[in-house]
């Protein structure tokens, strides 16, 4: 790294760490019903929502009622988005007259945004109208993020409460999260992004002439997107001359802020955060990466504050950031090492293919690690163009169940599941009572934790295996061999872990990928949520046990190291064979000069 890159990286993490405590304390006050500086303005709005919707904010729910309310609410929202996509051609704010989505693409997209995945088998500026972007996608960016945070808060209450059968009210948690947290912060940062050059308008697309005409070779494709060939087997192509270019417009800044803050990641443009209208400057790149990590990181302090042990929150955050910083460093090393095959041709230097020069390798590595360590599908570079080990880094972060720092809410309750597993195993190994924050860890908590941790991995392996044997899925692969396997593995890892970023090189807009992807996203989201709520309900009914000599301290450095090891072991045992056949084999092939 040069001096500028060191300063950039140190400043970024210093800013993030300085924001953790105030943001975490603020969220603790919100969800404990305490007064905040926004209360004079927002309490009347909050009460109006409860009256209009017939919600009694004093009525609390057991874990099963909480889960049913959550599932029903998200299902209704998903159906509403599906309807918007199927009726897009008839709805307003559609200056390009985009038609409706196909049924399977609409299904995949609706489930994607409902589950905070934001996987995109469509090109944003060439497929979705302004109405769809605002009233469809942006609304779900708020609601899906609030849902994840609500589950994390409910899980925390399971540790805080004693001998009670309730863990809160889902609708109250959802409303408070949206009103007091997501909307105000998004508003502030949307204005900042506008100042950096992110557009915000309702203008029609602008067509402007080029100063000099250019041409390119366009391959012939059939209706299914397959290359056309002549009788001799040669590809059919034509030379196309371009004299003008169409520049997309739209209300981007208002959706870019919540896209990053809520770890959503669905890009207004197909190029996502590599597009200059979404992410125009190095400063906007750092701020967007900061937003991606802000809530997920701050929730660890919220956990400690609500549980009465802030050291526990800091210990969890330390584990998250240790893996994140290591991953960002590994990605930077892999990309600056370059490609030996290119070096043989006399072109020495870092691997800049697929990267934006305004961000450089350091800015790309930082943003990529932040986006794939969370459930944010935002990308500012083409992951498919990275070196094999470089591409393995974001893939590995996703496969670790995204606890580095993890999605808003999802990262915390998944990390808590890892903590429960680590406590239970350590207790068995050293003969100490498996307890966490004064609650005994028993069979029910272990089962729920295993479901939370392993659901996504099981889905990844099952659907990736299917994609490699089903003919229609195999035909969607643009690359053979190890790299093609990496693309398929990344696709289902991204969908099953609700990340949403893509490795590219794969035609995902087919019935197979749209339907199987929708199933993977739905199960990958809601199975761990229900398991986490069930664990919270079980813990809330237990009595508090004061710490004793037989209690394993979980807020110390030795346990943080043990927790890190457990996370890495679970990831390695689950996915090392697949990674060996994909990016690791591809790296060895590259070193062999092939």
């Amino acid at each position: 790294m040069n001096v500028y890159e060191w300063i950039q990286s140190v400043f970024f993490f210093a800013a993030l760490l300085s924001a953790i405590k105030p943001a975490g304390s603020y969220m603790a006050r919100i969800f404990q019903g305490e007064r905040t500086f926004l209360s004079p303005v927002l309490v009347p709005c909050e009460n109006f929502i409860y009256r209009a919707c017939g919600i009694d904010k004093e009525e609390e729910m057991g874990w099963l009622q909480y889960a049913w309310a959550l599932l029903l609410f998200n299902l209704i929202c998903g159906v509403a988005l599906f309807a918007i996509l199927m009726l897009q051609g008839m709805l307003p704010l559609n200056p390009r007259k985009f038609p409706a989505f196909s049924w399977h693409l609409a299904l995949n997209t609706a489930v994607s945004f409902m589950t905070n995945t934001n996987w995109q088998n469509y090109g944003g500026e060439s497929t979705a109208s302004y109405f769809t972007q605002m009233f469809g996608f942006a609304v779900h960016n708020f609601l899906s993020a609030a849902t994840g945070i609500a589950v994390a808060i409910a899980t925390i209450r399971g540790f805080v409460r004693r001998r009670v059968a309730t863990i809160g009210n889902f609708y109250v948690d959802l409303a408070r999260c949206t009103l007091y947290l997501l909307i105000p912060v998004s508003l502030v940062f949307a204005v900042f992004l506008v100042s950096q050059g992110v557009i915000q308008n309702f203008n029609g697309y602008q067509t402007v002439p080029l100063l000099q005409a250019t041409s390119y070779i366009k391959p012939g494709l059939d209706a299914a997107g397959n290359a056309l060939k002549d009788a001799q087997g040669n590809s059919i192509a034509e030379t196309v001359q371009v004299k003008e270019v169409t520049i997309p417009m739209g209300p981007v800044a208002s959706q870019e802020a919540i896209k990053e803050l809520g770890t959503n990641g669905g890009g207004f443009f197909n190029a996502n955060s590599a597009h200059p209208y979404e992410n125009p400057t190095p400063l906007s790149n750092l701020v967007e990466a900061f937003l991606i990590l802000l809530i997920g990181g701050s929730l660890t302090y919220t956990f400690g504050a609500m549980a009465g042990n802030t050291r526990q929150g800091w210990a969890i955050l330390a584990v998250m950031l240790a893996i994140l910083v290591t991953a960002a460093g590994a990605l930077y090393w892999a990309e600056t090492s370059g490609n030996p095959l290119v070096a043989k041709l006399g072109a020495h230097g870092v691997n800049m293919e697929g990267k934006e020069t305004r961000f450089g390798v350091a800015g790309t590595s930082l943003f990529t690690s932040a986006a794939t360590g969370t459930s944010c599908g935002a990308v500012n570079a083409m992951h498919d163009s990275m070196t094999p080990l470089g591409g393995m880094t974001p893939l590995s972060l996703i496969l670790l169940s995204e606890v580095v720092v993890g999605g808003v809410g999802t990262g915390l309750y998944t990390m808590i599941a890892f903590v429960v597993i680590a406590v239970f195993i350590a207790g068995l190994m050293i003969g100490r009572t498996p307890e966490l924050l004064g609650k005994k860890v028993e069979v029910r908590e272990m089962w729920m934790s295993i479901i939370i941790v392993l659901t996504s991995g099981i889905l990844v392996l099952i659907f990736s295996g299917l994609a490699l044997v089903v003919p229609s899925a195999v035909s969607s692969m643009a690359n053979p061999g190890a790299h093609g396997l990496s693309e398929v593995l990344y696709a289902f890892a991204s969908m099953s872990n609700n990340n949403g970023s893509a490795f590219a090189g794969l035609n995902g807009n087919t019935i197979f990928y749209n339907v199987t992807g929708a199933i993977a996203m739905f199960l990958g989201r809601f199975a761990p949520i229900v398991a986490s709520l069930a664990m919270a309900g079980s813990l809330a009914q237990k009595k508090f046990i004061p710490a004793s000599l037989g209690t394993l301290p979980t807020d110390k450095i030795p346990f943080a190291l043990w927790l890190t090891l457990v996370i890495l072991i679970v990831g390695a045992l689950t996915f090392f064979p697949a990674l060996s056949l994909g990016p690791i084999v591809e790296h060895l092939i590259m070193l062999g000069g092939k």
Side-chain angles (χ1 to χ4, degrees), residues 21-73:
K21 183 175 180 178
S25 299
Y26 176 68
M27 285 190 284
R29 291 197 299 272
I30 291 173
F31 294 107
Q32 288 174 329
E34 299 175 8
R35 186 178 178 82
T36 70
F37 69 98
L38 291 175
S39 294
V41 177
L42 295 180
V43 166
C45 299
E46 182 185 356
N47 291 333
F48 172 77
I49 291 174
Y50 298 149
R51 288 195 300 271
C53 298
I55 297 170
D56 181 1
K57 67 177 182 180
E58 303 300 330
E59 180 184 358
E60 295 228 337
M61 301 176 177
W63 80 265
L64 190 57
Q65 186 182 2
Y66 198 104
W68 275 116
L70 183 150
L71 292 172
L72 182 60
F73 177 83

Short mmCIF file of all heavy atoms in Angstrom, two decimals, residues 21-73:
data_model
loop_
_atom_site.label_atom_id
_atom_site.label_comp_id
_atom_site.label_asym_id
_atom_site.label_seq_id
_atom_site.Cartn_x
_atom_site.Cartn_y
_atom_site.Cartn_z
N LYS A 21 -20.25 3.09 19.31
CA LYS A 21 -20.88 3.31 20.62
C LYS A 21 -22.07 4.26 20.55
O LYS A 21 -23.16 3.92 21.05
CB LYS A 21 -19.85 3.80 21.63
CG LYS A 21 -20.44 3.98 23.03
CD LYS A 21 -19.37 4.36 24.04
CE LYS A 21 -19.98 4.54 25.43
NZ LYS A 21 -18.93 4.87 26.44
N PRO A 22 -21.95 5.44 19.95
CA PRO A 22 -23.13 6.33 19.90
C PRO A 22 -24.28 5.74 19.10
O PRO A 22 -25.44 5.85 19.51
CB PRO A 22 -22.59 7.61 19.25
CG PRO A 22 -21.29 7.25 18.63
CD PRO A 22 -20.75 6.12 19.42
N ALA A 23 -23.98 5.09 17.98
CA ALA A 23 -25.06 4.49 17.19
C ALA A 23 -25.68 3.31 17.92
O ALA A 23 -26.91 3.14 17.92
CB ALA A 23 -24.52 4.03 15.83
N GLY A 24 -24.84 2.49 18.57
CA GLY A 24 -25.36 1.36 19.32
C GLY A 24 -26.20 1.79 20.51
O GLY A 24 -27.24 1.20 20.81
N SER A 25 -25.76 2.83 21.21
CA SER A 25 -26.53 3.35 22.35
C SER A 25 -27.87 3.91 21.89
O SER A 25 -28.90 3.73 22.55
CB SER A 25 -25.73 4.44 23.07
OG SER A 25 -24.52 3.92 23.57
N TYR A 26 -27.83 4.61 20.75
CA TYR A 26 -29.06 5.19 20.21
C TYR A 26 -30.08 4.10 19.88
O TYR A 26 -31.27 4.22 20.20
CB TYR A 26 -28.74 6.01 18.97
CG TYR A 26 -29.94 6.59 18.26
CD1 TYR A 26 -30.70 7.59 18.85
CD2 TYR A 26 -30.30 6.14 16.99
CE1 TYR A 26 -31.81 8.12 18.20
CE2 TYR A 26 -31.39 6.67 16.33
CZ TYR A 26 -32.15 7.66 16.94
OH TYR A 26 -33.24 8.17 16.30
N MET A 27 -29.61 3.01 19.26
CA MET A 27 -30.53 1.91 18.92
C MET A 27 -31.07 1.24 20.18
O MET A 27 -32.23 0.82 20.22
CB MET A 27 -29.83 0.91 18.01
CG MET A 27 -29.68 1.40 16.58
SD MET A 27 -29.11 0.11 15.44
CE MET A 27 -27.38 0.02 15.88
N ALA A 28 -30.24 1.12 21.21
CA ALA A 28 -30.72 0.54 22.46
C ALA A 28 -31.85 1.38 23.05
O ALA A 28 -32.85 0.84 23.55
CB ALA A 28 -29.56 0.42 23.45
N ARG A 29 -31.71 2.69 22.99
CA ARG A 29 -32.76 3.57 23.51
C ARG A 29 -34.04 3.45 22.68
O ARG A 29 -35.15 3.46 23.23
CB ARG A 29 -32.28 5.03 23.53
CG ARG A 29 -31.19 5.30 24.55
CD ARG A 29 -31.04 6.79 24.82
NE ARG A 29 -30.67 7.53 23.61
CZ ARG A 29 -29.43 7.73 23.21
NH1 ARG A 29 -28.42 7.21 23.92
NH2 ARG A 29 -29.16 8.41 22.12
N ILE A 30 -33.89 3.34 21.37
CA ILE A 30 -35.06 3.22 20.50
C ILE A 30 -35.88 2.00 20.89
O ILE A 30 -37.10 2.08 21.10
CB ILE A 30 -34.64 3.10 19.02
CG1 ILE A 30 -34.05 4.42 18.51
CG2 ILE A 30 -35.84 2.70 18.15
CD1 ILE A 30 -33.47 4.31 17.12
N PHE A 31 -35.22 0.85 20.99
CA PHE A 31 -35.95 -0.40 21.17
C PHE A 31 -36.31 -0.68 22.62
O PHE A 31 -37.06 -1.62 22.90
CB PHE A 31 -35.16 -1.55 20.56
CG PHE A 31 -35.03 -1.44 19.07
CD1 PHE A 31 -33.83 -1.10 18.47
CD2 PHE A 31 -36.13 -1.64 18.25
CE1 PHE A 31 -33.71 -0.98 17.11
CE2 PHE A 31 -36.02 -1.52 16.88
CZ PHE A 31 -34.82 -1.18 16.30
N GLN A 32 -35.79 0.10 23.53
CA GLN A 32 -36.22 0.01 24.92
C GLN A 32 -37.30 1.03 25.22
O GLN A 32 -37.74 1.17 26.37
CB GLN A 32 -35.02 0.21 25.86
CG GLN A 32 -34.07 -0.97 25.85
CD GLN A 32 -32.81 -0.71 26.66
OE1 GLN A 32 -32.35 0.42 26.76
NE2 GLN A 32 -32.26 -1.76 27.24
N GLY A 33 -37.75 1.75 24.18
CA GLY A 33 -38.84 2.70 24.32
C GLY A 33 -38.46 3.98 25.05
O GLY A 33 -39.34 4.69 25.55
N GLU A 34 -37.17 4.30 25.09
CA GLU A 34 -36.72 5.50 25.78
C GLU A 34 -36.80 6.72 24.86
O GLU A 34 -36.86 6.61 23.64
CB GLU A 34 -35.29 5.30 26.30
CG GLU A 34 -35.15 4.16 27.28
CD GLU A 34 -33.70 3.91 27.68
OE1 GLU A 34 -32.83 4.73 27.30
OE2 GLU A 34 -33.44 2.90 28.35
N ARG A 35 -36.75 7.87 25.45
CA ARG A 35 -36.86 9.12 24.70
C ARG A 35 -35.54 9.41 23.97
O ARG A 35 -34.45 9.22 24.52
CB ARG A 35 -37.19 10.28 25.64
CG ARG A 35 -37.45 11.61 24.94
CD ARG A 35 -37.83 12.67 25.97
NE ARG A 35 -38.05 13.98 25.34
CZ ARG A 35 -39.18 14.33 24.76
NH1 ARG A 35 -40.21 13.50 24.75
NH2 ARG A 35 -39.31 15.54 24.21
N THR A 36 -35.64 9.89 22.72
CA THR A 36 -34.48 10.30 21.94
C THR A 36 -34.68 11.74 21.47
O THR A 36 -35.74 12.32 21.66
CB THR A 36 -34.28 9.39 20.71
OG1 THR A 36 -35.33 9.64 19.76
CG2 THR A 36 -34.31 7.91 21.11
N PHE A 37 -33.66 12.29 20.83
CA PHE A 37 -33.78 13.68 20.38
C PHE A 37 -34.79 13.84 19.25
O PHE A 37 -35.25 14.96 18.97
CB PHE A 37 -32.40 14.20 19.92
CG PHE A 37 -31.89 13.57 18.65
CD1 PHE A 37 -32.05 14.21 17.43
CD2 PHE A 37 -31.24 12.35 18.67
CE1 PHE A 37 -31.57 13.65 16.26
CE2 PHE A 37 -30.76 11.77 17.51
CZ PHE A 37 -30.93 12.43 16.30
N LEU A 38 -35.20 12.73 18.62
CA LEU A 38 -36.21 12.79 17.57
C LEU A 38 -37.62 12.53 18.09
O LEU A 38 -38.59 12.66 17.34
CB LEU A 38 -35.89 11.76 16.47
CG LEU A 38 -34.65 12.03 15.62
CD1 LEU A 38 -34.40 10.88 14.66
CD2 LEU A 38 -34.79 13.34 14.85
N SER A 39 -37.73 12.18 19.36
CA SER A 39 -39.04 11.82 19.92
C SER A 39 -40.10 12.91 19.77
O SER A 39 -41.25 12.61 19.44
CB SER A 39 -38.88 11.42 21.39
OG SER A 39 -38.12 10.24 21.51
N PRO A 40 -39.78 14.19 20.01
CA PRO A 40 -40.83 15.21 19.89
C PRO A 40 -41.49 15.23 18.51
O PRO A 40 -42.68 15.55 18.39
CB PRO A 40 -40.08 16.52 20.17
CG PRO A 40 -38.94 16.11 21.04
CD PRO A 40 -38.52 14.77 20.53
N VAL A 41 -40.73 14.91 17.49
CA VAL A 41 -41.27 14.92 16.13
C VAL A 41 -41.90 13.58 15.75
O VAL A 41 -42.97 13.54 15.13
CB VAL A 41 -40.15 15.28 15.11
CG1 VAL A 41 -40.69 15.21 13.68
CG2 VAL A 41 -39.59 16.65 15.42
N LEU A 42 -41.25 12.49 16.17
CA LEU A 42 -41.64 11.18 15.65
C LEU A 42 -42.65 10.42 16.53
O LEU A 42 -43.34 9.53 16.02
CB LEU A 42 -40.40 10.31 15.46
CG LEU A 42 -39.42 10.82 14.39
CD1 LEU A 42 -38.23 9.89 14.27
CD2 LEU A 42 -40.12 10.96 13.04
N VAL A 43 -42.74 10.73 17.80
CA VAL A 43 -43.72 10.03 18.65
C VAL A 43 -45.14 10.21 18.13
O VAL A 43 -45.91 9.24 18.05
CB VAL A 43 -43.60 10.47 20.12
CG1 VAL A 43 -44.82 10.03 20.92
CG2 VAL A 43 -42.33 9.89 20.74
N PRO A 44 -45.56 11.45 17.75
CA PRO A 44 -46.91 11.58 17.16
C PRO A 44 -47.08 10.77 15.88
O PRO A 44 -48.16 10.18 15.67
CB PRO A 44 -47.02 13.08 16.88
CG PRO A 44 -46.07 13.72 17.83
CD PRO A 44 -44.93 12.77 17.94
N CYS A 45 -46.04 10.72 15.05
CA CYS A 45 -46.11 9.90 13.83
C CYS A 45 -46.24 8.42 14.16
O CYS A 45 -47.04 7.69 13.55
CB CYS A 45 -44.87 10.14 12.97
SG CYS A 45 -44.64 11.83 12.41
N GLU A 46 -45.46 7.99 15.15
CA GLU A 46 -45.50 6.59 15.57
C GLU A 46 -46.88 6.23 16.10
O GLU A 46 -47.46 5.19 15.72
CB GLU A 46 -44.44 6.36 16.64
CG GLU A 46 -44.35 4.92 17.13
CD GLU A 46 -43.39 4.76 18.29
OE1 GLU A 46 -42.71 5.76 18.65
OE2 GLU A 46 -43.32 3.65 18.85
N ASN A 47 -47.43 7.05 16.95
CA ASN A 47 -48.75 6.77 17.53
C ASN A 47 -49.85 6.78 16.46
O ASN A 47 -50.80 6.00 16.54
CB ASN A 47 -49.07 7.79 18.62
CG ASN A 47 -48.19 7.61 19.85
OD1 ASN A 47 -47.71 6.51 20.12
ND2 ASN A 47 -47.97 8.68 20.59
N PHE A 48 -49.71 7.66 15.48
CA PHE A 48 -50.68 7.70 14.39
C PHE A 48 -50.67 6.39 13.61
O PHE A 48 -51.72 5.85 13.25
CB PHE A 48 -50.39 8.87 13.46
CG PHE A 48 -51.23 8.87 12.21
CD1 PHE A 48 -52.56 9.28 12.24
CD2 PHE A 48 -50.71 8.41 11.00
CE1 PHE A 48 -53.34 9.26 11.09
CE2 PHE A 48 -51.49 8.38 9.85
CZ PHE A 48 -52.81 8.81 9.90
N ILE A 49 -49.48 5.86 13.37
CA ILE A 49 -49.37 4.58 12.65
C ILE A 49 -50.05 3.47 13.43
O ILE A 49 -50.78 2.64 12.87
CB ILE A 49 -47.88 4.25 12.40
CG1 ILE A 49 -47.28 5.22 11.39
CG2 ILE A 49 -47.72 2.80 11.90
CD1 ILE A 49 -45.79 5.07 11.20
N TYR A 50 -49.84 3.44 14.75
CA TYR A 50 -50.46 2.39 15.56
C TYR A 50 -51.99 2.50 15.53
O TYR A 50 -52.69 1.49 15.41
CB TYR A 50 -49.96 2.49 17.01
CG TYR A 50 -48.48 2.28 17.18
CD1 TYR A 50 -47.77 2.92 18.20
CD2 TYR A 50 -47.78 1.43 16.32
CE1 TYR A 50 -46.41 2.73 18.36
CE2 TYR A 50 -46.42 1.24 16.47
CZ TYR A 50 -45.73 1.89 17.49
OH TYR A 50 -44.39 1.71 17.64
N ARG A 51 -52.49 3.73 15.64
CA ARG A 51 -53.95 3.90 15.61
C ARG A 51 -54.52 3.52 14.24
O ARG A 51 -55.55 2.85 14.16
CB ARG A 51 -54.30 5.36 15.93
CG ARG A 51 -54.11 5.75 17.39
CD ARG A 51 -54.82 7.06 17.70
NE ARG A 51 -54.32 8.15 16.87
CZ ARG A 51 -53.31 8.93 17.20
NH1 ARG A 51 -52.68 8.75 18.34
NH2 ARG A 51 -52.94 9.91 16.39
N ALA A 52 -53.86 3.94 13.18
CA ALA A 52 -54.34 3.65 11.83
C ALA A 52 -54.34 2.16 11.53
O ALA A 52 -55.20 1.65 10.81
CB ALA A 52 -53.51 4.40 10.80
N CYS A 53 -53.37 1.45 12.09
CA CYS A 53 -53.23 0.01 11.81
C CYS A 53 -53.87 -0.86 12.89
O CYS A 53 -53.82 -2.09 12.79
CB CYS A 53 -51.75 -0.35 11.66
SG CYS A 53 -50.92 0.48 10.30
N GLY A 54 -54.43 -0.25 13.93
CA GLY A 54 -55.06 -1.03 14.98
C GLY A 54 -54.08 -1.82 15.82
O GLY A 54 -54.37 -2.95 16.24
N ILE A 55 -52.91 -1.24 16.08
CA ILE A 55 -51.86 -1.93 16.84
C ILE A 55 -51.82 -1.39 18.26
O ILE A 55 -51.81 -0.18 18.49
CB ILE A 55 -50.48 -1.72 16.17
CG1 ILE A 55 -50.47 -2.34 14.77
CG2 ILE A 55 -49.38 -2.32 17.02
CD1 ILE A 55 -49.25 -1.99 13.96
N ASP A 56 -51.81 -2.29 19.23
CA ASP A 56 -51.65 -1.91 20.63
C ASP A 56 -50.16 -2.05 20.96
O ASP A 56 -49.62 -3.15 21.07
CB ASP A 56 -52.47 -2.83 21.53
CG ASP A 56 -52.33 -2.46 23.01
OD1 ASP A 56 -51.63 -1.49 23.33
OD2 ASP A 56 -52.94 -3.18 23.84
N LYS A 57 -49.48 -0.91 21.10
CA LYS A 57 -48.02 -0.96 21.28
C LYS A 57 -47.62 -1.54 22.64
O LYS A 57 -46.45 -1.89 22.84
CB LYS A 57 -47.42 0.43 21.11
CG LYS A 57 -47.80 1.43 22.19
CD LYS A 57 -47.07 2.74 21.94
CE LYS A 57 -47.39 3.76 23.03
NZ LYS A 57 -46.67 5.04 22.80
N GLU A 58 -48.57 -1.65 23.55
CA GLU A 58 -48.26 -2.22 24.87
C GLU A 58 -48.41 -3.74 24.87
O GLU A 58 -47.96 -4.40 25.81
CB GLU A 58 -49.18 -1.62 25.93
CG GLU A 58 -49.12 -0.10 26.03
CD GLU A 58 -47.73 0.39 26.38
OE1 GLU A 58 -47.00 -0.35 27.08
OE2 GLU A 58 -47.37 1.51 25.97
N GLU A 59 -49.03 -4.29 23.83
CA GLU A 59 -49.24 -5.74 23.77
C GLU A 59 -47.99 -6.42 23.24
O GLU A 59 -47.50 -6.09 22.16
CB GLU A 59 -50.44 -6.07 22.87
CG GLU A 59 -50.72 -7.56 22.76
CD GLU A 59 -51.85 -7.87 21.80
OE1 GLU A 59 -52.43 -6.91 21.26
OE2 GLU A 59 -52.13 -9.06 21.59
N GLU A 60 -47.50 -7.39 23.98
CA GLU A 60 -46.29 -8.10 23.56
C GLU A 60 -46.64 -9.47 23.00
O GLU A 60 -47.74 -9.98 23.19
CB GLU A 60 -45.33 -8.22 24.73
CG GLU A 60 -44.80 -6.88 25.22
CD GLU A 60 -43.30 -6.89 25.40
OE1 GLU A 60 -42.72 -7.98 25.57
OE2 GLU A 60 -42.69 -5.79 25.36
N MET A 61 -45.67 -10.05 22.30
CA MET A 61 -45.89 -11.32 21.60
C MET A 61 -44.92 -12.38 22.11
O MET A 61 -43.76 -12.09 22.42
CB MET A 61 -45.67 -11.15 20.09
CG MET A 61 -46.56 -10.13 19.42
SD MET A 61 -46.10 -9.94 17.66
CE MET A 61 -47.33 -8.79 17.11
N GLY A 62 -45.39 -13.63 22.14
CA GLY A 62 -44.50 -14.76 22.32
C GLY A 62 -43.73 -14.99 21.03
O GLY A 62 -44.05 -14.41 19.98
N TRP A 63 -42.73 -15.87 21.09
CA TRP A 63 -41.88 -16.02 19.91
C TRP A 63 -42.67 -16.54 18.71
O TRP A 63 -42.42 -16.12 17.57
CB TRP A 63 -40.70 -16.93 20.22
CG TRP A 63 -41.01 -18.42 20.19
CD1 TRP A 63 -41.33 -19.21 21.24
CD2 TRP A 63 -41.03 -19.26 19.03
NE1 TRP A 63 -41.56 -20.49 20.82
CE2 TRP A 63 -41.37 -20.56 19.47
CE3 TRP A 63 -40.80 -19.06 17.68
CZ2 TRP A 63 -41.48 -21.64 18.59
CZ3 TRP A 63 -40.89 -20.13 16.80
CH2 TRP A 63 -41.23 -21.40 17.26
N LEU A 64 -43.62 -17.44 18.92
CA LEU A 64 -44.38 -17.99 17.80
C LEU A 64 -45.27 -16.92 17.18
O LEU A 64 -45.36 -16.81 15.94
CB LEU A 64 -45.22 -19.17 18.29
CG LEU A 64 -45.90 -20.02 17.21
CD1 LEU A 64 -44.87 -20.58 16.23
CD2 LEU A 64 -46.70 -21.14 17.84
N GLN A 65 -45.93 -16.11 18.00
CA GLN A 65 -46.77 -15.04 17.47
C GLN A 65 -45.92 -14.00 16.75
O GLN A 65 -46.30 -13.47 15.69
CB GLN A 65 -47.54 -14.37 18.62
CG GLN A 65 -48.56 -13.32 18.15
CD GLN A 65 -49.27 -12.65 19.31
OE1 GLN A 65 -48.99 -12.93 20.48
NE2 GLN A 65 -50.20 -11.77 19.00
N TYR A 66 -44.74 -13.70 17.30
CA TYR A 66 -43.81 -12.76 16.68
C TYR A 66 -43.39 -13.28 15.30
O TYR A 66 -43.37 -12.53 14.31
CB TYR A 66 -42.59 -12.60 17.57
CG TYR A 66 -41.75 -11.37 17.32
CD1 TYR A 66 -41.81 -10.27 18.16
CD2 TYR A 66 -40.85 -11.32 16.25
CE1 TYR A 66 -41.01 -9.15 17.96
CE2 TYR A 66 -40.06 -10.21 16.03
CZ TYR A 66 -40.14 -9.13 16.89
OH TYR A 66 -39.35 -8.01 16.66
N ALA A 67 -43.09 -14.58 15.23
CA ALA A 67 -42.66 -15.17 13.96
C ALA A 67 -43.79 -15.16 12.93
O ALA A 67 -43.56 -14.86 11.74
CB ALA A 67 -42.18 -16.60 14.20
N TRP A 68 -45.02 -15.49 13.35
CA TRP A 68 -46.15 -15.47 12.43
C TRP A 68 -46.42 -14.06 11.91
O TRP A 68 -46.70 -13.87 10.72
CB TRP A 68 -47.40 -16.03 13.10
CG TRP A 68 -47.51 -17.52 13.04
CD1 TRP A 68 -47.50 -18.39 14.10
CD2 TRP A 68 -47.63 -18.33 11.87
NE1 TRP A 68 -47.59 -19.68 13.66
CE2 TRP A 68 -47.68 -19.68 12.28
CE3 TRP A 68 -47.69 -18.05 10.50
CZ2 TRP A 68 -47.79 -20.74 11.39
CZ3 TRP A 68 -47.80 -19.11 9.60
CH2 TRP A 68 -47.85 -20.43 10.05
N ALA A 69 -46.35 -13.08 12.79
CA ALA A 69 -46.56 -11.69 12.36
C ALA A 69 -45.50 -11.28 11.34
O ALA A 69 -45.80 -10.64 10.33
CB ALA A 69 -46.53 -10.76 13.58
N LEU A 70 -44.26 -11.64 11.60
CA LEU A 70 -43.16 -11.31 10.70
C LEU A 70 -43.34 -11.97 9.33
O LEU A 70 -43.21 -11.33 8.28
CB LEU A 70 -41.83 -11.73 11.34
CG LEU A 70 -40.54 -11.42 10.60
CD1 LEU A 70 -39.42 -11.22 11.61
CD2 LEU A 70 -40.14 -12.54 9.63
N LEU A 71 -43.65 -13.27 9.35
CA LEU A 71 -43.80 -14.00 8.09
C LEU A 71 -44.98 -13.48 7.28
O LEU A 71 -44.88 -13.30 6.05
CB LEU A 71 -43.96 -15.50 8.37
CG LEU A 71 -42.74 -16.23 8.93
CD1 LEU A 71 -43.10 -17.64 9.35
CD2 LEU A 71 -41.61 -16.25 7.90
N LEU A 72 -46.09 -13.24 7.94
CA LEU A 72 -47.28 -12.76 7.24
C LEU A 72 -47.04 -11.38 6.65
O LEU A 72 -47.40 -11.10 5.49
CB LEU A 72 -48.47 -12.73 8.20
CG LEU A 72 -49.82 -12.30 7.60
CD1 LEU A 72 -50.23 -13.25 6.48
CD2 LEU A 72 -50.90 -12.24 8.68
N PHE A 73 -46.44 -10.49 7.44
CA PHE A 73 -46.16 -9.14 6.95
C PHE A 73 -45.25 -9.18 5.72
O PHE A 73 -45.51 -8.51 4.71
CB PHE A 73 -45.51 -8.31 8.06
CG PHE A 73 -45.11 -6.93 7.63
CD1 PHE A 73 -46.03 -5.90 7.61
CD2 PHE A 73 -43.80 -6.65 7.25
CE1 PHE A 73 -45.67 -4.62 7.21
CE2 PHE A 73 -43.43 -5.38 6.85
CZ PHE A 73 -44.37 -4.36 6.83
#
